[in-house]
Amino acid sequence: MRNRGMNCAIGLGLAGAAIGMYLYNNSKPQYQRKMERGLHHTVDELSDMVSDLGDRLRETM
């Protein structure tokens, strides 16, 4: 059961990435810059969350 959920999550992530690339390639340059800024902000937030999660895991071990 766990593998099915993981496979579904990975599949949805790949589908979202493909749709995002399609939208990015077919949009105006101004909108592309907005998307890039949003992506950088999202990556920074995810990096912080993963770092915090890693710190918590190290504390419990």
Side-chain angles (χ1 to χ4, degrees), residues 16-27:
I19 292 169
M21 288 300 296
Y22 176 79
L23 291 174
Y24 178 81
N25 287 329
N26 293 314
S27 61

Side-chain angles (χ1 to χ4, degrees), residues 48-61:
D48 292 342
M49 288 173 30
V50 169
S51 177
D52 291 343
L53 180 62
D55 292 341
R56 289 181 189 166
L57 287 174
R58 283 188 210 103
E59 288 174 1
T60 59
M61 291 186 160

